[in-house]
Amino acid sequence: MDGRFQKTLVALSVLIAPFLIWFALQAQTNTDDVNNWVDRTSREYAEYIQYISRFGSDDDVIISWNGCTSDDERIELAASSLRRECGEYLDRVVSGSESLLDLRNSASRFSNSSARRRLRGSLFGDDLVTTCLIARLNTQGRAELGKALRKIDQTVVEQAGVKRQEIHYGGKAVTDYALNELTNRSLWRGVAGAILAALIALACVRNLRLTFSVLFTASLAGLASLALVPMCGLKVNGLLVLMPVLVFVLTLGCAVHMVRALQRNLLLLPAGELHAAVRQSLRESRSPVILSM
């Protein structure tokens, strides 16, 4: 063997690497909505879609803060400010104090305590005093969730005068955004893991050139796994975010195992028996590598 096959394989790997990097950079994260995990053919999902078609989206942002009661003047200020400043992202804004007033002024003429009891669990807490605002996102707000939530937060702080550290957010939209941000951060945490794995590989192989070859192979495998996601028209979710790191570590571990076997056989076999050492190393590594993969 004159090594032309190996050189061709390395050259192709180097040429394909930029394309894999480009595709990997196109990978987008998916909001980890529970709906992504539900069987779309199930009866429950059909009922959920029917509910949405009748009552609208459930992408609500629940806003409250320390001391947020129906007597707090800031709640009306926050509601009017959200309607004025965040109209491009919101369908409607409902406050507990406004809903309480509507019930009391309705044809049924509910008393104050009766109206509060009717709103308990939705706009009022169990104490019938603590209340909140509910902002429902429109299509643009759902598409630009991060911008919408930041705008809502800025408006409540600057226009209503509520301290940011006292605000409490809830609702499906907030949960989706938090999970999506955690997914994005997890992607970058994989970089630290890769650096640690590289140092361990260098300590095991004890050869800079061989370590680089092992790292290049593992990186190529990890990139390929991530690049396949946008290639298939999919998005990275809470499970797929672990895939590139897992593939990288598995490939790295197997490659280190095979290189160590080769180094051992090169010492045991006579000088010049490189091909025999490679074949022997492959035979020795086959079973543990297949099992680990």
Side-chain angles (χ1 to χ4, degrees):
M1 298 175 65
D2 56 6
R4 281 183 295 179
F5 174 75
Q6 291 88 341
K7 293 177 181 178
T8 302
L9 191 62
V10 171
L12 287 175
S13 301
V14 173
L15 288 175
I16 202 175
F19 294 97
L20 293 177
I21 293 173
W22 186 85
F23 275 108
L25 292 175
Q26 306 309 307
Q28 298 179 352
T29 56
N30 192 13
T31 55
D32 289 284
D33 185 357
V34 66
N35 297 329
N36 295 330
W37 301 78
V38 176
D39 180 11
R40 300 303 174 95
T41 62
S42 65
R43 178 177 59 85
E44 290 80 5
Y45 187 76
E47 292 177 352
Y48 173 75
I49 294 299
Q50 187 178 22
Y51 171 85
I52 294 297
S53 65
R54 290 182 178 179
F55 299 102
S57 168
D58 58 347
D59 288 323
D60 294 330
V61 180
I62 303 171
I63 310 163
S64 187
W65 53 83
N66 300 340
C68 182
T69 65
S70 56
D71 299 327
D72 190 343
E73 296 180 354
R74 295 175 296 177
I75 193 169
E76 293 306 317
L77 184 58
S80 59
S81 299
L82 287 173
R83 295 187 185 106
R84 182 179 64 254
E85 301 292 336
C86 306
E88 59 181 319
Y89 298 122
L90 303 177
D91 268 339
R92 62 173 181 167
V93 178
V94 178
S95 73
S97 56
E98 288 176 344
S99 299
L100 179 66
L101 186 61
D102 289 342
L103 281 178
R104 295 185 63 185
N105 294 335
S106 65
S108 301
R109 291 291 179 180
F110 290 100
S111 65
N112 182 52
S113 59
S114 178
R116 287 175 183 268
R117 285 195 298 271
R118 283 180 170 268
L119 294 173
R120 180 170 56 188
S122 56
L123 287 166
F124 277 85
D126 291 335
D127 59 1
L128 301 181
V129 175
T130 304
T131 187
C132 65
L133 296 96
I134 298 179
R136 174 154 294 181
L137 299 174
N138 56 22
T139 303
Q140 184 176 350
R142 290 191 295 272
E144 302 177 15
L145 185 55
K147 291 182 180 180
L149 292 178
R150 285 190 291 271
K151 184 66 175 179
I152 290 172
D153 181 73
Q154 180 183 1
T155 301
V156 174
V157 171
E158 296 181 358
Q159 301 296 327
V162 183
K163 296 180 180 179
R164 180 170 281 110
Q165 61 268 25
E166 295 182 353
I167 303 176
H168 308 286
Y169 292 103
K172 174 177 173 293
V174 177
T175 303
D176 288 348
Y177 179 74
L179 288 173
N180 199 31
E181 286 295 293
L182 181 61
T183 300
N184 288 330
R185 288 198 296 270
S186 297
L187 284 171
W188 289 107
R189 286 175 183 155
V191 176
I195 294 174
L196 178 61
L199 294 175
I200 295 175
L202 181 60
C204 292
V205 177
R206 299 175 185 176
N207 184 296
L208 192 60
R209 181 179 177 184
L210 286 176
T211 302
F212 176 79
S213 301
V214 167
L215 289 174
F216 177 76
T217 304
S219 301
L220 201 66
L223 276 174
S225 68
L226 182 59
L228 280 172
V229 178
M231 283 181 185
C232 297
L234 302 175
K235 293 183 179 181
V236 178
N237 58 28
L239 289 179
L240 289 180
V241 70
L242 301 173
M243 179 182 60
V245 178
L246 178 63
V247 172
F248 175 86
V249 172
L250 281 175
T251 307
L252 185 65
C254 293
V256 167
H257 187 85
M258 297 177 72
V259 168
R260 289 294 293 161
L262 177 61
Q263 290 175 327
R264 183 174 60 254
N265 282 288
L266 286 174
L267 294 175
L268 295 176
L269 294 175
E273 294 292 333
L274 175 60
H275 296 158
V278 170
R279 287 193 294 268
Q280 180 64 22
S281 302
L282 290 175
R283 281 194 296 268
E284 293 177 1
S285 305
R286 185 181 297 119
S287 296
V289 165
I290 290 176
L291 286 174
S292 64
M293 293 291 275

